[in-house]
Amino acid sequence: MTATTGPQDVVSAARVARQVLSDALSPGEVCGSQEEWAQALGELQAVMDTATAAQDAAIVRLAAIEPEVLDDGEVIETHRALGHVALDAPAMVSWTLNVSAVQAERRVRAAVRMAADGPEGTPTETGLRGLHTAMGAGRLDAYRASVVATELEEAPAEVAASVVAGLHEYFGSEDGPRLRRRVRRMLARISPDLVRQRAVRARSECRLERWVGEPGVDTWHGTFPSEEAAQAWAAIDALAQQYVTDGVCDRVDRARAKALTDLVAGNATIDVQIVHTIAAEVPTAAGSARGTRASEGASDDLVDVGAPASEAGASKAAPGDLVEVTGLRPGEPTLVSRAWLDHASAPHPTSDTSAGRAAPRPRGEPRGGLAPCDPLTDALLDPDGALTTDTYRPGKALAALVRARDGHCRFPGCHVAARFCDLDHVTPWPTGPTSAANLVCLCRRHHRIKQRPGWQAVLHPDATLTWTDPTGRNRTTHPVDHLHRAVLPDRGSDPAPITYNPRLVTPDAPHSTLEYHLEHNPGPPPARPRIRCRIDHHHPTAARAHLAYTSAHPPRRRALPPPDDPPF
C-alpha cells in the first residue's frame, strides 16, 4: 500500500481478489498432483499474509485520524502522523472486524509497531519494519510475526532491527517456536543484560488468572518463579497420585486439578450467599403491568438458583444436575452441581434462628433473599426506585445492583468485569438522575470513548444499551440474565466417550494407531520382551492400549537373590 493509495483503491482491490479467490471455494473434480496442490496452498497463504499486511496498513491509517470540534460545533477529521493512535481507534477496529475489545487493542498495537515504524532516530522508530515487509512479500504470517514482535517488546529499536535482519533468511522455513528460540539466542549474544532484565521483571510480575473455559469449568493460567513452582507441583502431584491410588479420580491430570483446589480451599474460609431472583411486575408506559413471563416456570427459576423447589420440581431434581448461576465468576454465568448449590443454600449449622443464618454474599450480588428482575430481559431491577439518590455518587446498594445487573463493561465486545468498571451516568448528572435507570458499568477506556464526538449511548427501560459510533452504526448490549437459568439434568448415564479419527493426530486427541506403534514398538521385539512404554495420561487411548497389552502379555518376574548373595 503506497502513500498515494486511497481507501477506495484498497476496497476495489480487495473485492477483485475476493472474486478471483471465490472459485477456490467451490468443490470441483479431483485433479492435480500433491505437488501442485501443495504449491496452491502455499500461494494462498502468501496471499493471506500480504492481505494481513495491507490490513495492518489500513489500521495504522485509521488510528491516525483524530476528530476535532471547531468553535462553531462542527466535527472535522484531522490526519495525524502515522503511529498516532486515537483513543477510539481500537473501538472502531473492534466493531469493523467483530472482535473483542482486548483483541482489537492488541491488533492496533501490533499494526502500529510493525507498519508504522518511523525513520531512524525518531520517537516512532520500533525496528520492526522488516516484519511488515516480509508479511507484505508473503513470506511471514501474522502469528510468526507476532511471536518475533513479542520477543522484541523491550529491545531498543536498533537491536530489534538487527535481530529482524538476521531472521530474514529463516522466515520462509521456520515455525513460530523455532523463531522464538532463535530470537532469544540472538538477544543473549547482542544484549545479555536485556534478557536478564526481562527475566527479573517476569519473575516479579508472576500472577494467576482465570477465565471462562468449557461449560461448567474455568481455565486458570498462572506464572510462578521456577523454584516455587517446582515445590508446589511436587505437593500437588503427591496428593494427586494418592487420589488415583484411592480411586478418587481415574486420571492423574484430573487428580492434579482436584489436588490443587483442595490444597487451596483447605487453607481458607469460604462463605457463599444464595440470592434468589423473581420476575417483577413492571408498569409500562400505558400504566398496565408487564409481567407475562412471571409465571412461566417460576418455580423452576427458583430451583435453578437454589430456592426450595415445589413438589413437582423437587421430583425432577437430582444432586448430579448442573445448574447455571451467577456470582461465582465476575460477569459470567457458570454451571455448578445441584448438590453443591443445595449445600450452600442450607441454613448455617450454628445459626440461632429457625430460618438459619444467611451466608455471606458473593462479590457484586445484591443483598437480601429475593431480587426482582425484568420479566422480558431478566435484568435485575429497582422497580420502585428505592435506591435512587440525589447525590452524584450512588449508594452501596445501588452500586451493587448495577454491577450485578451488567456483569461487565457494557461497551460492545468488552468483557472487563463490573467490579473494575466505573459507574457512568448515561445522561450526565445532574440532568440525569443517579438511579439504576441511568447508570451503566463502563471500563475507564470506554467511559472516555463515550464522551468523544460522534459516540452516543441510550439506556432503555429494560436495561439494554444501544450504542452509535461516529459512522452511524448501531450495536446493542444486554444485561446479565438473572432469571431464567439453564439446567442440565442428570439422566443417570455416563457421557458417551469421545471418538477420534485414528488416522488424525490433533493436539487434544490421542495418538493415532500408527504413531503409537512407531513410538512404543520400534523394531522387532527382543527374545525376552521387556515392556518399556511411556504412558501419556493426556491420551487415554494410548493408556488403554498399553493396559490391554500388558494384561495379555504379563511381564516375567525374576526371583530376587538371597540377601547375603552379591548383587552381581
Side-chain angles (χ1 to χ4, degrees), residues 145-481:
S146 67
V147 167
V148 176
T150 301
E151 291 299 319
L152 298 174
E153 182 81 25
E154 300 175 1
E158 61 275 9
V159 174
S162 300
V163 172
V164 172
L167 294 174
H168 186 76
E169 60 180 304
Y170 304 104
F171 286 155
S173 58
E174 293 194 349
D175 55 24
R178 287 187 176 88
L179 288 176
R180 179 184 291 112
R181 291 193 293 269
R182 195 173 292 278
V183 170
R184 291 181 179 179
R185 288 196 298 267
M186 296 175 68
L187 283 177
R189 291 196 304 266
I190 299 175
S191 181
D193 292 341
L194 180 65
V195 179
R196 172 177 171 78
Q197 292 173 7
R198 178 179 173 185
V200 171
R201 183 178 296 106
R203 289 168 62 87
S204 66
E205 295 177 351
C206 290
R207 59 189 181 272
L208 182 64
E209 303 168 322
R210 70 166 184 163
W211 57 85
V212 181
E214 291 292 322
V217 299
D218 285 2
T219 298
W220 287 19
H221 177 266
T223 54
F224 314 93
S226 299
E227 61 276 11
E228 296 178 11
Q231 296 176 356
W233 183 263
I236 292 170
D237 190 64
L239 183 57
Q241 298 293 345
Q242 187 63 43
Y243 282 167
V244 173
T245 303
D246 297 343
V248 178
C249 301
D250 57 349
R251 304 189 327 268
V252 71
D253 54 346
R254 172 67 186 99
R256 289 192 185 109
K258 180 172 176 55
L260 174 61
T261 54
D262 287 351
L263 288 172
V264 173
N267 292 278
T269 301
I270 304 170
D271 295 319
V272 178
Q273 179 192 24
I274 303 300
V275 177
H276 308 300
T277 56
I278 58 174
E281 294 288 337
V282 183
T284 62
S288 60
R290 176 166 58 88
T292 56
R293 287 175 57 181
S295 61
E296 295 182 7
S299 61
D300 290 339
D301 292 335
L302 295 177
V303 170
D304 293 349
V305 293
S310 63
E311 294 182 2
S315 62
K316 301 178 182 179
D321 293 348
L322 294 179
V323 184
E324 189 180 50
V325 299
T326 56
L328 293 181
R329 179 193 297 118
E332 294 288 344
T334 186
L335 291 170
V336 300
S337 68
R338 191 182 294 275
W340 179 90
L341 193 59
D342 292 341
H343 176 74
S345 303
H348 196 276
T350 60
S351 174
D352 296 331
T353 62
S354 58
R357 188 195 70 168
R361 63 188 179 91
R363 187 189 301 269
E365 290 288 351
R367 297 183 181 274
L370 295 176
C373 295
D374 186 278
L376 297 182
T377 62
D378 309 325
L380 291 175
L381 293 177
D382 179 22
D384 52 2
L387 303 180
T388 302
T389 177
D390 295 332
T391 62
Y392 173 76
R393 295 187 178 276
K396 291 184 178 179
L398 178 57
L401 172 68
V402 175
R403 295 187 191 279
R405 180 199 68 190
D406 293 346
H408 52 75
C409 174
R410 292 296 300 275
F411 190 86
C414 186
H415 303 280
V416 175
R419 60 178 175 173
F420 303 122
C421 293
D422 300 333
L423 294 183
D424 174 58
H425 292 77
V426 179
T427 301
W429 187 86
T431 305
T434 303
S435 66
N438 192 46
L439 289 174
V440 293
C441 293
L442 292 179
C443 68
R444 184 59 54 86
R445 171 174 286 274
H446 293 130
H447 190 169
R448 295 172 60 195
I449 287 177
K450 172 179 170 287
Q451 300 169 352
R452 287 175 65 85
W455 291 91
Q456 296 180 358
V458 177
L459 181 62
H460 303 288
D462 59 2
T464 58
L465 184 65
T466 300
W467 289 83
T468 304
D469 73 352
T471 65
R473 293 175 298 180
N474 295 324
R475 293 283 183 90
T476 299
T477 61
H478 298 268
V480 177
D481 183 348

Side-chain angles (χ1 to χ4, degrees), residues 474-532:
N474 295 324
R475 293 283 183 90
T476 299
T477 61
H478 298 268
V480 177
D481 183 348
H482 282 271
L483 188 59
H484 293 82
R485 301 298 185 197
V487 177
L488 308 180
D490 182 9
R491 304 296 185 186
S493 59
D494 294 331
I498 301 177
T499 5
Y500 296 100
N501 186 343
R503 299 182 180 180
L504 299 178
V505 180
T506 61
D508 299 324
H511 292 293
S512 68
T513 305
L514 174 61
E515 184 180 12
Y516 177 80
H517 286 293
L518 288 176
E519 180 179 356
H520 297 278
N521 299 307
R528 297 182 60 184
R530 299 174 59 191
I531 306 303
R532 300 176 60 87

Side-chain angles (χ1 to χ4, degrees), residues 516-551:
Y516 177 80
H517 286 293
L518 288 176
E519 180 179 356
H520 297 278
N521 299 307
R528 297 182 60 184
R530 299 174 59 191
I531 306 303
R532 300 176 60 87
C533 181
R534 178 181 63 82
I535 299 178
D536 188 343
H537 293 279
H538 293 284
H539 300 90
T541 300
R544 287 195 297 269
H546 171 65
L547 294 176
Y549 183 85
T550 53
S551 300

